[in-house]
Amino acid sequence: MGSLYSEYLNPNKVQEHYNYTKETLETQETTSRQVASAFIVILCCAIVVENLLVLIAVARNSKFHSAMYLFLGNLAASDLLAGVAFVANTLLSGSVTLRLTPVQWFAREGSAFITLSASVFSLLAIAIERHVAIAKVKLYGSDKSCRMLLLIGASWLISLVLGGLPILGWNCLGHLEACSTVLPLYAKHYVLCVVTIFSIILLAIVALYVRIYCVVRSSHADVAGPQTLALLKTVTIVLGVFIICWLPAFSILLLDYACPVHSCPILYKAHYFFAFATLNSLLNPVIYTWRSRDLRREVLRPLQCWRPGVGVQGRRRDGTPGHHLLPLRSSSSLERGMHMPTSPTFLEGNTVV
């Protein structure tokens, strides 16, 4: 075991594994590669900004402090960290890869696995919460917030363990024949284990949503109000987008396990599949804000503060009053005056529900 960990700082180990698993080593920084890297970095910066705005909106407005929105905020946090991890992965790829030590390589890839795990467990928590809401099961009790935070904390702890297993010893250092082609320092059995766990969880989530829709369509459909149904459709869309974005990457990893080294050329194009999966973290905030009018208003509020020509308390930059700006009643006051519910509003097509 000591000899295994002594290899973690060996600067030649990464190149040895890439020489074994890859047909060619692309170390040239071509113009097309630089453009692609710059595009991915810009995309990841957009991911970070989008999800940061969602987190700020959930944190600052007490409307969004329910179980459902806390779990959505947790998903936004995992997407934000995924954006950061993808930026690091991009900047440390190409010719830089061969200069990494194994421990640096494990940190680079492990961060992406941790954020992916957190996203999957967040989706599971959301599905459980929706099932509880529809079935009217009293799961949380009086210490609801404490239990939700414990569930969120447990999901991140499990994610850290799953993503950290290779650096703890479940890798293929010293066993080249057991190495993954897509991830040359990861053992094939580890990759298969992680993809299997994610697939089982996603199937369980789909089964939960099928059960929820069966309850809603049954004779007891009155247990769910219009807003609950709209929110259910929102999280179902989030789940569907996750599966669409990540299914190609999961498929390529399963193919990686089944193919002997150098026998499946498509494995050398795996980075395209993972780049497509990155879109999931970009689309999630768009789905939240598209479906929820209240959340969209709260997310856009920081951006409205930067509008040119308008200063604090409705005054223009030149100090003159902004007569077109009238004092706004609070959201809760507007809702009471219009006899509207105080819970966040979701949209169904062009109709407010």
Side-chain angles (χ1 to χ4, degrees):
M1 184 64 68
S3 60
L4 171 64
Y5 289 114
S6 66
E7 298 288 351
Y8 278 29
L9 300 178
N10 186 339
N12 300 317
K13 208 64 182 175
V14 172
Q15 183 162 0
E16 176 188 341
H17 280 251
Y18 273 72
N19 283 333
Y20 179 80
T21 58
K22 305 293 186 182
E23 286 184 334
T24 59
L25 295 178
E26 298 182 4
T27 58
Q28 295 290 335
E29 287 294 330
T30 62
T31 302
S32 60
R33 175 182 286 273
Q34 291 175 344
V35 170
S37 297
F39 175 76
I40 293 175
V41 169
I42 293 173
L43 181 68
C44 291
C45 290
I47 290 173
V48 171
V49 172
E50 280 186 350
N51 286 283
L52 182 60
L53 289 173
V54 171
L55 283 174
I56 294 173
V58 172
R60 70 187 295 178
N61 194 326
S62 58
K63 267 188 180 182
F64 306 123
H65 291 177
S66 63
M68 181 67 236
Y69 282 94
L70 288 178
F71 289 134
L72 280 178
N74 186 54
L75 180 59
S78 65
D79 284 334
L80 186 153
L81 293 177
V84 175
F86 292 146
V87 168
N89 200 300
T90 301
L91 297 179
L92 295 175
S93 295
S95 60
V96 180
T97 299
L98 303 182
R99 300 198 296 269
L100 298 176
T101 61
V103 70
Q104 292 170 331
W105 190 94
F106 287 138
R108 186 190 77 175
E109 301 299 335
S111 60
F113 269 72
I114 289 170
T115 56
L116 171 60
S117 302
S119 295
V120 173
F121 285 112
S122 295
L123 291 172
L124 177 61
I126 290 171
I128 294 173
E129 194 279 336
R130 284 295 85 200
H131 182 266
V132 170
I134 296 295
K136 301 296 182 182
V137 179
K138 189 176 180 181
L139 178 66
Y140 298 111
S142 58
D143 56 346
K144 175 173 72 171
S145 298
C146 180
R147 296 198 181 196
M148 284 189 299
L149 293 176
L150 284 175
L151 182 57
I152 291 173
S155 69
W156 279 99
L157 180 61
I158 296 173
S159 300
L160 286 169
V161 171
L162 276 179
L165 283 175
I167 202 170
L168 295 176
W170 195 358
N171 54 59
C172 63
L173 291 178
H175 303 281
L176 290 174
E177 69 283 353
C179 289
S180 160
T181 299
V182 176
L183 301 163
L185 272 68
Y186 278 175
K188 283 188 173 186
H189 287 92
Y190 166 74
V191 175
L192 176 65
C193 176
V194 171
V195 174
T196 301
I197 291 173
F198 291 164
S199 300
I200 291 173
I201 292 175
L202 289 174
L203 287 174
I205 295 172
V206 171
L208 272 175
Y209 281 121
V210 170
R211 174 172 168 75
I212 291 171
Y213 276 111
C214 288
V215 171
V216 171
R217 291 176 62 87
S218 69
S219 58
H220 303 290
D222 56 334
V223 299
Q227 291 185 1
T228 302
L229 293 176
L231 183 55
L232 177 60
K233 291 181 180 180
T234 298
V235 295
T236 304
I237 293 172
V238 171
L239 174 64
V241 170
F242 180 91
I243 293 175
I244 291 172
C245 290
W246 278 99
L247 184 60
F250 286 174
S251 301
I252 207 73
L253 290 175
L254 290 175
L255 183 64
D256 183 18
Y257 175 80
C259 287
V261 66
H262 296 162
S263 63
C264 296
I266 193 174
L267 296 180
Y268 302 117
K269 304 297 182 183
H271 53 282
Y272 292 116
F273 296 87
F274 289 109
F276 180 72
T278 308
L279 293 175
N280 175 241
S281 297
L282 182 72
L283 293 175
N284 278 342
V286 176
I287 297 171
Y288 310 151
T289 54
W290 164 53
R291 295 285 299 177
S292 172
R293 182 182 62 185
D294 290 338
L295 183 57
R296 179 169 63 250
R297 183 188 300 123
E298 194 68 29
V299 165
L300 294 178
R301 182 180 295 180
L303 301 180
Q304 292 172 348
C305 296
W306 301 336
R307 288 185 304 175
V310 178
V312 181
Q313 296 180 348
R315 289 184 174 273
R316 302 181 189 276
R317 299 299 182 193
D318 58 6
T320 59
H323 297 292
H324 64 290
L325 295 175
L326 299 177
L328 293 177
R329 296 163 63 188
S330 66
S331 177
S332 58
S333 300
L334 283 173
E335 288 164 346
R336 285 195 297 270
M338 298 175 63
H339 305 289
M340 294 178 65
T342 58
S343 57
T345 305
F346 273 76
L347 300 177
E348 178 62 31
N350 294 322
T351 305
V352 180
V353 298

